[in-house]
Amino acid sequence: MTRRFAQRAASLDSMQLLYTAQNVAMLALSVVIFVAALFCFIHALRVPAEAFSAAGKLTRTWWLVITGLSALVAFIGIGPGRGFGMLGIVAVIAAGVYLADVRPALNSITPAIRKRRGASGHGPHGSW
């Protein structure tokens, strides 16, 4: 009887280890998704509104709403055992679209807009 108990305890320990590893992986993935969504939101805040229309994308307001909700959903999804759910998947897709499509288009247009506004790329006491 003792031998059976020891085998069962060893099996439970390995299952607990697997469960812990899955939780750690999900937590790490959740944090990465939140950081990516937050980066998208901050990037959308920093880019001038006219750059979005010049790039042929949705307006800045729409992208702020999309990326802001994406960051909020990703933040709520942080935690072991929570999973992503359907809203989490939508948040990942929104951040992915912004990073893959919108951000490169904005980055190609933004230097021209900043130059037109008079930004020289220099700090108050010379070049950065």
Side-chain angles (χ1 to χ4, degrees):
M1 185 90 160
T2 309
R3 188 175 193 180
R4 251 185 175 171
F5 181 74
Q7 288 175 343
R8 183 170 229 153
S11 173
L12 288 176
D13 286 343
S14 63
M15 290 303 291
Q16 185 65 33
L17 181 65
L18 178 63
Y19 179 72
T20 302
Q22 288 175 337
N23 276 338
V24 168
M26 287 299 288
L27 179 63
L29 189 58
S30 297
V31 169
V32 166
I33 291 169
F34 170 67
V35 168
L38 187 63
F39 173 80
C40 293
F41 180 72
I42 292 170
H43 185 267
L45 275 175
R46 294 183 53 154
V47 174
E50 59 195 35
F52 287 88
S53 60
K57 305 299 177 189
L58 290 175
T59 64
R60 178 181 179 200
T61 305
W62 274 110
W63 278 111
L64 286 174
V65 168
I66 291 168
T67 56
L69 288 175
S70 173
L72 179 66
V73 168
F75 178 74
I76 292 170
I78 292 177
R82 291 200 181 172
F84 296 117
M86 186 58 130
L87 287 177
I89 294 171
V90 171
V92 169
I93 291 171
V97 167
Y98 188 88
L99 289 173
D101 182 42
V102 178
R103 184 172 177 257
L106 293 175
N107 285 344
S108 67
I109 291 195
T110 302
I113 290 174
R114 287 191 178 150
K115 189 178 275 188
R116 191 174 62 207
R117 282 183 166 179
S120 63
H122 296 283
H125 302 290
S127 179
W128 287 99

